């Protein structure tokens, strides 16, 4: 179990966590903004019938260790709205060159550079769960055409067309948002094959790093300096091994955060 | 008349402009990305009935010099969608701390910082023309409550409530977007009185710099380091006199630009 603090953690805070919970606690060595409450097993009482994780993804849970008579629930869709908002923050900030302009004007330079717009562009959504639906709603409001790939179409409000194969998403979209869960089927799903047919400009990952094959993506970014990877996740996070390519924009797994 | 180029202008380009138009041309000394075609008067033919400016604002046109029998039209609403998109790019980029994260991660640091979200926040729109309507539509898609101030309400799609006085906008909003035209009535309109009642966090200006009183705004930003002025315009642009406050984010009058 972990407790996110997101500012400097003092020894008093760690001790207080331990006192309150009765569990040994420590600052996570690789996540210095989080306190971990150390426990070997799930805290199962004799009457436990359900375990609920607060996260949407469940790739961090050893599901085989949960007894068969206990129902295990993810928290899918709980973070869809802030995640979609974050995806559009990444896209808009990039196409309107906000970081470049902010740094230029703060250095005293007023210089217009070409900017882009979402209107009439095609947004391809890979995986159409809660995040996908929220992204479709926002994309529609910005005047985009929405296509989506999913194995279970269901409600298609705001979707112009469901496509049958993931490569159609990459062939037809200006912007692709990855909103798949990480499972053994989706690990490395976005690899050289899909990337080689991508005709658009921007790939956004607000899901899990390992849905994208690292080697293929780094090669793709090197070969296509004009295309961008906007991602809230990174392989091996929170460690960043090697230099982040100039045509990647990265946020530290904060898409799901919101004050609500 | 001017011609925006937005990349380095060569002498050949200037000469070619002059050849094509038959007018003397020069690079504007204060706008080095624009060529100006120099002419004293409007190019009026004996049958001219209408003059159309390509800009939404008309504060740069000497309207008294246009003969009475010639109709003069602004281009209001032509840029509403890209301008609203730019306003939300400024807001989202700021609340999700994208420039900070991009610079931190590129320097090898993975550190979560608190971020904010638009959902359930109140968006106050000052001036409800084309830009106001586009902003209301986007705000609604992000789950915001929309209030607006205008002298001529008209169509209120996406507006939860029209307010009667501009200070209600500043009292009740988390985010204020200024979408007024610059006229003699609106020059300095957002001054110390309105700023002193502002309870929210963010003021966005995608209209004209002089709608906001410079002295009052700079004082407001100094006194309230946690509040932000996100602006596409600056007093005396393209010159930037003095240091831009840290709690201002500035883009060089590019909100209306789009490839369409």
């Amino acid at each position: 179990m972990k407790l996110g603090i997101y500012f400097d953690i003092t020894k008093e805070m760690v001790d207080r966590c331990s006192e309150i919970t009765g569990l040994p606690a420590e600052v996570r060595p690789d996540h210095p903004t989080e306190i971990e409450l150390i426990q070997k097993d799930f805290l199962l009482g004799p009457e436990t019938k359900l375990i609920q994780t607060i996260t949407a993804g469940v790739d961090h849970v050893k599901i085989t260790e949960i007894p068969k008579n206990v129902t295990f629930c993810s928290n899918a869709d709980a973070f869809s709205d802030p995640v979609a908002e974050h995806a559009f923050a990444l896209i808009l900030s990039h196409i309107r060159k906000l970081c470049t302009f902010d740094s230029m004007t703060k250095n005293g330079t007023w210089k217009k550079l070409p900017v882009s717009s979402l209107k009439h562009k095609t947004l391809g959504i890979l995986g159409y769960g809660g995040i996908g639906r929220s992204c479709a709603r926002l994309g529609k409001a910005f005047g985009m055409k929405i296509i989506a790939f999913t194995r279970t179409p269901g409600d298609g409000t705001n979707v112009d067309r469901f496509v049958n194969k993931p490569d159609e998403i990459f062939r037809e979209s200006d912007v692709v948002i990855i909103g798949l869960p990480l499972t053994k089927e989706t690990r490395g799903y976005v690899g050289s094959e899909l990337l080689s047919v991508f005709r658009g400009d921007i790939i956004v990952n607000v899901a899990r790093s390992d849905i994208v094959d690292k080697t293929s993506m780094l090669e793709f970014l090197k070969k296509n300096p004009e295309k961008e990877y906007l991602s809230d996740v990174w392989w091996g996070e929170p460690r960043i091994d090697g230099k982040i390519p100039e045509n990647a924009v990265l946020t530290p797994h904060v898409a799901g955060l919101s004050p609500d």
Side-chain angles (χ1 to χ4, degrees), chain A:
Chain A
M1 194 191 292
K2 64 184 183 179
L3 182 69
I5 303 280
Y6 306 129
F7 47 80
D8 290 339
I9 295 172
T10 62
K11 189 175 176 310
E12 286 67 31
M13 286 183 202
V14 180
D15 293 346
R16 191 81 184 103
C17 279
S18 188
E19 261 175 59
I20 293 170
T21 59
L23 291 169
E26 63 175 28
V27 178
R28 293 183 69 184
D30 54 349
H31 277 79
T33 58
E34 291 179 359
I35 294 174
E36 185 157 26
L37 300 168
I38 301 152
Q39 60 192 38
K40 200 174 166 295
D41 301 308
F42 288 103
L43 286 173
L44 289 173
E47 295 291 324
T48 301
K49 292 188 177 129
L50 184 141
I51 294 174
Q52 165 89 59
T53 167
I54 62 159
T55 55
V58 296
D59 47 293
H60 61 295
V61 178
K62 289 182 184 151
I63 293 174
T64 49
E65 290 180 11
I66 300 173
K68 286 209 167 131
N69 60 336
V70 175
T71 304
F72 173 66
C73 299
S74 87
N75 207 1
D77 210 14
F79 304 99
S80 299
D81 286 345
V83 169
E85 189 175 309
H86 194 80
F88 276 82
L90 282 163
I91 299 165
L92 287 166
S93 176
H94 170 66
I95 67 167
R96 309 297 297 186
K97 295 195 170 65
L98 292 193
C99 300
T100 307
F101 285 140
D102 186 39
S103 141
M104 272 172 52
T105 53
K106 289 226 164 79
N107 285 319
T109 303
W110 185 276
K111 187 181 176 186
K112 293 178 202 268
L113 299 170
V115 296
S116 189
S117 168
L118 294 184
K119 200 168 179 178
H120 306 312
K121 294 275 199 318
T122 298
L123 172 63
I125 302 175
L126 198 64
Y128 195 69
I131 293 170
R133 282 192 296 273
S134 287
C135 287
R137 191 189 67 246
L138 294 181
K140 218 26 149 180
F142 282 101
M144 302 182 86
K145 179 184 166 190
I146 316 290
I147 60 175
F149 171 75
T150 173
R151 290 180 305 183
T152 50
D155 170 34
T157 314
N158 296 315
V159 174
D160 291 285
R161 184 163 58 90
F162 283 107
V163 300
N164 295 319
K165 287 188 292 179
D167 64 304
E168 291 181 62
I169 292 287
F170 282 79
R171 274 181 213 284
E172 296 182 30
S173 305
D174 299 290
V175 179
V176 169
I177 295 179
I178 300 168
L180 292 166
L182 178 61
T183 64
K184 56 186 181 205
E185 284 84 22
T186 64
R187 188 173 294 272
Y189 196 76
V190 177
S192 56
E193 216 166 307
L194 288 178
L195 292 172
S196 70
V197 298
F198 182 48
R199 76 150 185 88
D201 307 309
I202 296 172
I203 296 170
V204 183
N205 190 351
V206 282
R208 288 288 186 268
S209 56
D210 289 332
I211 294 166
V212 177
D213 179 66
K214 183 176 181 180
T215 310
S216 307
M217 178 54 88
L218 293 181
E219 204 177 282
F220 170 79
L221 291 173
K222 204 170 173 183
K223 271 194 192 158
N224 301 280
E226 76 293 357
K227 311 212 173 194
E228 293 277 333
Y229 183 49
L230 313 179
S231 184
D232 187 46
V233 290
W234 200 251
W235 304 275
E237 66 181 59
R239 277 186 56 185
I240 303 171
D241 283 332
K243 202 177 168 303
I244 295 173
E246 272 310 303
N247 51 341
V249 172
L250 191 53
T251 55
H253 211 137
V254 292
L257 298 186
S258 91
D260 291 339

